[in-house]
Amino acid sequence: MTDHGDSSGRWPVWAVALVIYPFAAGAAAVNLFFLFLMLQAIGLRALTPFEAIAGGVILGVPFAWVLGKWAHGMITQAEDDA
């Protein structure tokens, strides 16, 4: 086992978030699309797939950052416990 001590060799949060971003943006786009399909019941229009993708690209940034911080914490905890 290697002692990491001062977190050397661990990926920074931004790198983890960058790897996760495509998945976060895709999930955000799908969820936006389906949310606005459901909101048609109260009179709002549905988003086009292109609008949903644009929204996913934008919302993917904060979602990836939050998920990256969570994943980084889980990785750190797992490495410290090992």
Side-chain angles (χ1 to χ4, degrees):
M1 297 282 159
T2 307
D3 183 23
H4 292 289
D6 62 347
S7 299
S8 62
R10 293 184 183 162
W11 285 26
V13 174
W14 67 265
V16 176
L18 189 63
V19 170
I20 292 172
Y21 174 76
F23 303 104
V30 168
N31 285 317
L32 272 176
F33 184 75
F34 285 122
L35 172 68
F36 276 87
L37 282 179
M38 291 187 297
L39 289 176
Q40 283 183 315
I42 61 170
L44 294 176
R45 71 171 186 86
L47 293 178
T48 66
F50 296 111
E51 291 170 335
I53 290 170
V57 167
I58 293 167
L59 288 175
V61 174
F63 292 167
W65 183 257
V66 169
L67 186 56
K69 285 187 66 73
W70 174 79
H72 186 267
M74 296 296 285
I75 292 167
T76 301
Q77 181 181 1
E79 287 179 346
D80 289 344
D81 290 344

